[in-house]
Amino acid sequence: MMIERGARNEASAASKAESILAAAKRMFLESGFGAVSMDAIARAAGVSKATVYAHFAGKEELFGAVIARECERYLSEFSTGELDPGNARTSLAMLGRRFLELLLSPDALALHRIILGEVGRFPALGEVFWRAGPERNLGQIEAFLTAAARAGSLEITDARLAAEQFAALVRGEVQLRHLLRLEQNADGPGVATLVDAAVDTFLRAFGRRGPQR
Amino acid sequence: MMIERGARNEASAASKAESILAAAKRMFLESGFGAVSMDAIARAAGVSKATVYAHFAGKEELFGAVIARECERYLSEFSTGELDPGNARTSLAMLGRRFLELLLSPDALALHRIILGEVGRFPALGEVFWRAGPERNLGQIEAFLTAAARAGSLEITDARLAAEQFAALVRGEVQLRHLLRLEQNADGPGVATLVDAAVDTFLRAFGRRGPQR
DNA sequence: GTCTATACAGTGATAGAC
DNA sequence: GTCTATCACTGTATAGAC
């Protein structure tokens, strides 16, 4: 009797923690930290405020849990196994397209906005995010560039620097325009077009024998 | 008597509005919108809360006034008159260095953070900022690239695209690391080194006959 | 216009019953 | 663990005297 009640409550507790995190994620990413109240989160999650405080010590801890969780989702993103170091153009276009599609996804944009907006108040956010997102992407790009240089399809001396420059070319100004809400994902030239332009420029700088001319 | 008093008060009013704006700027840029109270702004400006509300209809209007004002300060920045379209490397290095120094200045970083953080709540911020900052810089770069292409020191077909790519190369990842508070202005390779690397890559892609080899 | 004082709403957080 | 009810506190905004 007490055991049954305990078991049911444990399951219920896990599920409620989940609803709280889901509601908090949605509201924080949408409206920022300061504009969201614990009351609103509790209401959206269908629980009482006291329940929220039973699971999370306070608003800041709940915020940290949400952001850390979202950052970790990026850690299990794509692999680079199927890239061909012998074919730089095709591989870079594929790498760049996945990179840019991730950057322009609504969740990633919202995460960027809130982290940049709150990194002053929560300094730890900066490093958590950097390691979960940008640094990891740069590492993958650098690994491919190193392999491609070894395979002879690229002429690269400083792979880390080249990786940063490739990432910068792909990102261009389009990410900023999206962050500022000047463009929606559909507007403007498509992702593929932007990436192709970036790959063109990158290969003119680092390609072994320019492909055209 | 009443006139003297009125005149003194007008002057005093203008000066108080100025103190309020200055205090609000400092606090908003430092802590964001939600974390700053009207009470704290009034205290920092040395006036009463009622005086703040006499000059600005509310917190949002005061915030908008501060941000619009900061954005306009960027509009009167540097000129491109002294650049030499015949010497692409030197001119691009100078252009890039001023661009990056501006981007990494504490005020610009704080402005970026708060605008990105609050653009969800204040959609107008995005366009105001874009026109005051990035768009203007891109226009200057594009104008120089066009002149350099005409002068024969660069091979450029789409000057707008090339300008975006140059800006992206210069900005690289260093702006993001600063925004995330992972680096201070002093850390890492100096601005000049970063810009030189960006100019190198840009000239390998767009230079008329690579300068080396 | 400017101040002091205050009304009012909404916040984060908790106590006690179940 | 979960709820209802409530706490103390802060921030927004206004009234009224000067």
Side-chain angles (χ1 to χ4, degrees), chain B residues 173-193:
Chain B
E173 306 286 317
V174 72
Q175 186 197 17
L176 181 57
R177 280 197 292 263
H178 276 74
L179 285 171
L180 292 174
R181 294 187 185 278
L182 301 174
E183 271 181 37
Q184 305 292 58
N185 210 327
D187 307 349
V191 165
T193 306

Side-chain angles (χ1 to χ4, degrees), chain A residues 2 20 24 26 37 50 64-65 67 69 76-77 84 90-92 101 110 123 125 136 153 169 191 196 198-199 212:
Chain A
M2 271 188 71
I20 294 168
R26 188 164 38 79
S37 74
I67 300 299
R69 197 176 210 233
S76 56
E77 281 299 329
D84 173 14
T90 304
S91 299
L92 286 175
E101 274 166 3
L125 284 187
R136 187 173 171 83
S153 60
L169 282 172
V191 165
D196 286 348
V199 172
Q212 55 263 47

Side-chain angles (χ1 to χ4, degrees), chain A residues 21-205:
Chain A
L21 279 170
K25 169 200 161 182
R26 188 164 38 79
M27 304 185 75
F28 279 139
L29 289 189
E30 193 172 299
S31 315
F33 179 79
V36 174
S37 74
M38 294 293 264
D39 207 7
I41 292 172
R43 233 177 299 129
V47 301
S48 75
K49 251 196 303 186
T51 302
V52 176
Y53 279 96
H55 287 273
F56 303 94
K59 190 180 178 183
E60 301 196 353
E61 185 176 302
L62 175 56
F63 179 70
V66 167
I67 300 299
R69 197 176 210 233
E70 284 304 294
C71 285
E72 273 170 27
R73 283 188 42 228
Y74 287 88
L75 286 176
S76 56
E77 281 299 329
F78 39 58
S79 69
T80 57
E82 73 275 22
L83 297 180
D84 173 14
N87 189 337
R89 179 174 293 274
T90 304
S91 299
L92 286 175
M94 185 179 307
L95 206 50
R97 215 173 51 239
R98 287 192 306 203
F99 177 52
L100 194 55
E101 274 166 3
L102 176 63
L103 279 189
L104 300 187
S105 71
D107 271 14
L109 290 171
L111 198 60
H112 263 86
R113 286 194 201 103
I114 196 169
I115 286 176
L116 291 177
E118 302 297 337
V119 72
R121 200 195 326 244
F122 305 99
L125 284 187
E127 201 163 351
V128 170
F129 174 69
W130 175 260
R131 277 208 284 259
E135 187 178 68
R136 187 173 171 83
N137 274 320
L138 286 173
Q140 293 179 332
I141 296 171
E142 181 182 349
F144 171 77
L145 294 181
T146 303
R150 193 163 303 161
S153 60
L154 291 177
E155 274 185 347
I156 305 243
T157 58
D158 184 341
R160 168 72 188 196
L161 174 64
E164 293 203 5
Q165 291 185 332
F166 179 71
L169 282 172
V170 169
R171 180 186 314 139
E173 305 286 318
V174 70
Q175 186 197 17
L176 181 57
R177 279 197 293 262
H178 276 74
L179 286 171
L180 292 174
R181 294 187 185 277
L182 302 175
E183 270 181 39
Q184 306 292 58
N185 211 327
D187 307 350
V191 165
T193 306
L194 288 166
V195 171
D196 286 348
V199 172
D200 273 348
T201 297
F202 188 81
L203 287 181
R204 274 205 301 278

Side-chain angles (χ1 to χ4, degrees), chain B residues 50-192:
Chain B
T51 301
V52 176
Y53 281 96
H55 286 273
F56 303 94
K59 191 179 178 184
E60 300 198 355
E61 184 175 303
L62 175 56
F63 178 70
V66 168
I67 300 300
R69 197 173 209 235
E70 284 304 295
C71 285
E72 273 169 28
R73 282 188 41 228
Y74 287 87
L75 285 176
S76 55
E77 280 300 328
F78 39 57
S79 69
T80 57
E82 73 275 21
L83 297 179
D84 173 15
N87 190 337
R89 179 174 294 274
T90 304
S91 298
L92 286 176
M94 186 180 306
L95 207 49
R97 215 174 53 238
R98 286 193 306 201
F99 177 52
L100 194 55
E101 275 167 1
L102 175 63
L103 279 188
L104 300 186
S105 72
D107 271 15
L109 290 171
L111 198 60
H112 263 87
R113 287 194 200 102
I114 197 168
I115 285 177
L116 291 177
E118 302 297 337
V119 72
R121 200 196 325 243
F122 306 99
L125 284 187
E127 201 163 353
V128 171
F129 174 68
W130 175 259
R131 277 209 284 259
E135 188 178 66
R136 189 176 170 82
N137 273 319
L138 286 174
Q140 293 179 332
I141 297 170
E142 181 182 347
F144 171 77
L145 293 182
T146 302
R150 193 163 303 161
S153 60
L154 290 177
E155 274 185 347
I156 304 245
T157 59
D158 185 341
R160 168 71 187 195
L161 175 63
E164 292 202 6
Q165 290 185 334
F166 179 70
L169 281 172
V170 169
R171 180 185 314 140
E173 306 286 317
V174 72
Q175 186 197 17
L176 181 57
R177 280 197 292 263
H178 276 74
L179 285 171
L180 292 174
R181 294 187 185 278
L182 301 174
E183 271 181 37
Q184 305 292 58
N185 210 327
D187 307 349
V191 165

Side-chain angles (χ1 to χ4, degrees), chain B residues 19-32 36 44-45 66:
Chain B
S19 334
I20 294 169
L21 279 170
K25 169 200 161 182
R26 185 165 39 78
M27 304 185 76
F28 279 139
L29 290 188
E30 193 172 299
S31 314
V36 174
V66 168

